[in-house]
Amino acid sequence: MKAMALTTYGDPSGFALHHIDRPQVAAGQVRIKVAATSVNPIDARIRSGMMPTLAPELPALLHGDVAGVVEEVGEGVTTFHPGDEVYGFAGGLRGFGGALAEYMVADARLIAHKPKTLTMAEAASLPCVAVTAWNGLIERATLRPGQRVLVHGAAGGVGHVALQLAAWAGAEVYATASTPAKQTIARDLGARAAIAYREIAVRDYVRAYTDGRGFDVVFDTVGKSCLDASFEAAAPGGSVIAIAARSTHDLSPLHAKGLTLHVVFTILPLLTGEGMDNIGQALAKLAPVIDSGHIRPLIDSRQFGFTEAAEAHRLLESGDVIGKVVLVNDL
């Protein structure tokens, strides 16, 4: 099969077209004819060489997000059949195949039937970010109707799904975004207010939107100083969800307010082998929410083919992105 494989770790120029053996299906797996994938920050970090312990051997097949059609199922797989349209977050790191190829073998626990209302490109944009939002808000923070939720980075990959998921769950949702265009997107996706965080201090928007009490749940997709702002914005007894917590912080605000900090690391089941069912189950639960119109993917207007993987990675790393960067199979 043809694949857009990485030949060297470092800058995006390491991608090149390769002809490699089609992967064989083992028990518990399915082989997917890949239609589309998308770029997540973890893909770019692995490609850059920042995470050598997660990196597959060269030539490497990257990208965990996948949408496509099941071609073959392995022994013991009863949930999926040839011809089924599926989406999932199923690899792109050491020990797993990646989606930048004509075919991808996936553990059946890491995929679900594709939402019927989405195109393949739309479906490929969602798995990693949607599972992250579901895990943080629904599974970890146990979001309840009527709670006030603040989402940082509302026009980003995880942020735009978290905003819509919180609204679906009955929360009163607020969002921060860096530019007027992104603030408009946040309001269009259901935020009651879009906060220009570069212009308004945390204490001021907490006073304006919560009467000074703080938000019941704060979802931080940014990390570093934004995580400190999240602690400041949270209400006493509230929860902070973090997906970027590789930094040093003063935890005294958590103690002073009795906060709960949930760190979500979506690829952890693939690294440990524990909880892999949770990924497919979350995607299966999300599919009817998506099909009912409560979650719609936000995709950057600049789309790419697999042969343009380098350009897609450069765009993601530029920071000049709205939503997700999607690639359609042109191999």
Side-chain angles (χ1 to χ4, degrees), residues 9 46-47 49 51-58 60 62 92-95:
Y9 287 102
I46 291 173
R47 187 223 73 234
M51 295 183 158
T53 60
L54 305 185
E57 294 183 4
L58 298 173
L62 303 187
L93 61 157
R94 187 181 297 273

mmCIF file of all heavy atoms in Angstrom, residues 9 46-47 49 51-58 60 62 92-95:
data_model
loop_
_atom_site.group_PDB
_atom_site.id
_atom_site.type_symbol
_atom_site.label_atom_id
_atom_site.label_comp_id
_atom_site.label_asym_id
_atom_site.label_seq_id
_atom_site.Cartn_x
_atom_site.Cartn_y
_atom_site.Cartn_z
ATOM 1 N N TYR A 9 12.881 12.275 12.101
ATOM 2 C CA TYR A 9 12.205 13.113 13.086
ATOM 3 C C TYR A 9 12.815 14.507 13.088
ATOM 4 O O TYR A 9 14.026 14.673 12.979
ATOM 5 C CB TYR A 9 12.285 12.484 14.474
ATOM 6 C CG TYR A 9 11.375 11.290 14.599
ATOM 7 C CD1 TYR A 9 11.880 9.990 14.518
ATOM 8 C CD2 TYR A 9 10.005 11.452 14.737
ATOM 9 C CE1 TYR A 9 11.031 8.896 14.609
ATOM 10 C CE2 TYR A 9 9.152 10.374 14.820
ATOM 11 C CZ TYR A 9 9.676 9.090 14.747
ATOM 12 O OH TYR A 9 8.834 8.018 14.810
ATOM 13 N N ILE A 46 5.295 14.354 18.342
ATOM 14 C CA ILE A 46 5.983 13.103 18.014
ATOM 15 C C ILE A 46 6.853 13.308 16.776
ATOM 16 O O ILE A 46 8.018 12.920 16.742
ATOM 17 C CB ILE A 46 4.965 11.968 17.803
ATOM 18 C CG1 ILE A 46 4.292 11.605 19.126
ATOM 19 C CG2 ILE A 46 5.648 10.741 17.202
ATOM 20 C CD1 ILE A 46 3.153 10.621 18.997
ATOM 21 N N ARG A 47 6.298 13.922 15.735
ATOM 22 C CA ARG A 47 7.048 14.155 14.499
ATOM 23 C C ARG A 47 8.301 14.989 14.726
ATOM 24 O O ARG A 47 9.355 14.757 14.125
ATOM 25 C CB ARG A 47 6.143 14.888 13.504
ATOM 26 C CG ARG A 47 6.711 15.054 12.112
ATOM 27 C CD ARG A 47 6.463 16.442 11.561
ATOM 28 N NE ARG A 47 7.276 17.463 12.176
ATOM 29 C CZ ARG A 47 6.822 18.578 12.741
ATOM 30 N NH1 ARG A 47 5.518 18.834 12.783
ATOM 31 N NH2 ARG A 47 7.665 19.449 13.288
ATOM 32 N N GLY A 49 10.231 15.075 17.224
ATOM 33 C CA GLY A 49 11.259 14.432 18.029
ATOM 34 C C GLY A 49 11.190 14.787 19.494
ATOM 35 O O GLY A 49 12.042 14.361 20.282
ATOM 36 N N MET A 51 9.065 13.739 21.647
ATOM 37 C CA MET A 51 8.584 12.625 22.454
ATOM 38 C C MET A 51 9.162 11.313 21.924
ATOM 39 O O MET A 51 8.441 10.462 21.387
ATOM 40 C CB MET A 51 7.062 12.584 22.448
ATOM 41 C CG MET A 51 6.415 13.770 23.116
ATOM 42 S SD MET A 51 4.612 13.631 23.144
ATOM 43 C CE MET A 51 4.216 14.724 24.510
ATOM 44 N N PRO A 52 10.455 11.106 22.072
ATOM 45 C CA PRO A 52 11.095 9.926 21.473
ATOM 46 C C PRO A 52 10.576 8.601 22.036
ATOM 47 O O PRO A 52 10.590 7.592 21.319
ATOM 48 C CB PRO A 52 12.579 10.120 21.801
ATOM 49 C CG PRO A 52 12.608 11.079 22.946
ATOM 50 C CD PRO A 52 11.427 11.969 22.755
ATOM 51 N N THR A 53 10.115 8.592 23.273
ATOM 52 C CA THR A 53 9.614 7.332 23.836
ATOM 53 C C THR A 53 8.293 6.899 23.212
ATOM 54 O O THR A 53 7.918 5.728 23.303
ATOM 55 C CB THR A 53 9.426 7.451 25.358
ATOM 56 O OG1 THR A 53 8.487 8.500 25.642
ATOM 57 C CG2 THR A 53 10.747 7.747 26.041
ATOM 58 N N LEU A 54 7.574 7.846 22.577
ATOM 59 C CA LEU A 54 6.303 7.528 21.932
ATOM 60 C C LEU A 54 6.457 7.308 20.430
ATOM 61 O O LEU A 54 5.506 6.867 19.770
ATOM 62 C CB LEU A 54 5.283 8.654 22.155
ATOM 63 C CG LEU A 54 4.993 9.077 23.582
ATOM 64 C CD1 LEU A 54 3.866 10.106 23.584
ATOM 65 C CD2 LEU A 54 4.616 7.884 24.429
ATOM 66 N N ALA A 55 7.612 7.610 19.884
ATOM 67 C CA ALA A 55 7.788 7.645 18.439
ATOM 68 C C ALA A 55 7.925 6.245 17.849
ATOM 69 O O ALA A 55 8.712 5.428 18.342
ATOM 70 C CB ALA A 55 9.017 8.473 18.089
ATOM 71 N N PRO A 56 7.179 5.950 16.770
ATOM 72 C CA PRO A 56 7.364 4.672 16.077
ATOM 73 C C PRO A 56 8.722 4.620 15.379
ATOM 74 O O PRO A 56 9.354 5.643 15.131
ATOM 75 C CB PRO A 56 6.226 4.668 15.038
ATOM 76 C CG PRO A 56 5.311 5.776 15.420
ATOM 77 C CD PRO A 56 6.136 6.776 16.162
ATOM 78 N N GLU A 57 9.142 3.399 15.045
ATOM 79 C CA GLU A 57 10.381 3.253 14.300
ATOM 80 C C GLU A 57 10.205 3.807 12.888
ATOM 81 O O GLU A 57 9.122 3.748 12.315
ATOM 82 C CB GLU A 57 10.796 1.778 14.236
ATOM 83 C CG GLU A 57 11.176 1.194 15.586
ATOM 84 C CD GLU A 57 11.653 -0.247 15.462
ATOM 85 O OE1 GLU A 57 11.761 -0.744 14.305
ATOM 86 O OE2 GLU A 57 11.909 -0.868 16.499
ATOM 87 N N LEU A 58 11.288 4.350 12.342
ATOM 88 C CA LEU A 58 11.256 4.900 10.991
ATOM 89 C C LEU A 58 11.345 3.784 9.947
ATOM 90 O O LEU A 58 12.023 2.784 10.183
ATOM 91 C CB LEU A 58 12.405 5.890 10.810
ATOM 92 C CG LEU A 58 12.373 7.119 11.727
ATOM 93 C CD1 LEU A 58 13.668 7.927 11.563
ATOM 94 C CD2 LEU A 58 11.173 8.003 11.413
ATOM 95 N N ALA A 60 8.003 5.972 9.794
ATOM 96 C CA ALA A 60 6.924 5.954 10.770
ATOM 97 C C ALA A 60 5.605 6.423 10.171
ATOM 98 O O ALA A 60 5.570 7.387 9.408
ATOM 99 C CB ALA A 60 7.286 6.854 11.953
ATOM 100 N N LEU A 62 2.278 8.166 11.187
ATOM 101 C CA LEU A 62 1.743 8.997 12.255
ATOM 102 C C LEU A 62 0.243 9.207 12.099
ATOM 103 O O LEU A 62 -0.365 8.758 11.136
ATOM 104 C CB LEU A 62 2.470 10.339 12.283
ATOM 105 C CG LEU A 62 3.991 10.305 12.456
ATOM 106 C CD1 LEU A 62 4.531 11.719 12.640
ATOM 107 C CD2 LEU A 62 4.416 9.411 13.610
ATOM 108 N N GLY A 92 -0.780 5.905 15.685
ATOM 109 C CA GLY A 92 0.139 6.972 15.346
ATOM 110 C C GLY A 92 1.301 7.114 16.306
ATOM 111 O O GLY A 92 2.015 8.110 16.277
ATOM 112 N N LEU A 93 1.498 6.110 17.172
ATOM 113 C CA LEU A 93 2.611 6.131 18.110
ATOM 114 C C LEU A 93 3.178 4.731 18.243
ATOM 115 O O LEU A 93 2.642 3.778 17.675
ATOM 116 C CB LEU A 93 2.205 6.710 19.456
ATOM 117 C CG LEU A 93 1.106 6.012 20.254
ATOM 118 C CD1 LEU A 93 1.235 6.365 21.724
ATOM 119 C CD2 LEU A 93 -0.262 6.464 19.767
ATOM 120 N N ARG A 94 4.250 4.597 18.982
ATOM 121 C CA ARG A 94 4.961 3.318 19.078
ATOM 122 C C ARG A 94 4.009 2.175 19.439
ATOM 123 O O ARG A 94 3.244 2.271 20.394
ATOM 124 C CB ARG A 94 6.075 3.420 20.123
ATOM 125 C CG ARG A 94 6.983 2.187 20.183
ATOM 126 C CD ARG A 94 8.034 2.365 21.260
ATOM 127 N NE ARG A 94 8.928 3.491 20.972
ATOM 128 C CZ ARG A 94 10.029 3.422 20.242
ATOM 129 N NH1 ARG A 94 10.363 2.263 19.684
ATOM 130 N NH2 ARG A 94 10.786 4.490 20.046
ATOM 131 N N GLY A 95 4.072 1.110 18.658
ATOM 132 C CA GLY A 95 3.243 -0.060 18.911
ATOM 133 C C GLY A 95 1.920 -0.055 18.174
ATOM 134 O O GLY A 95 1.174 -1.042 18.238
#
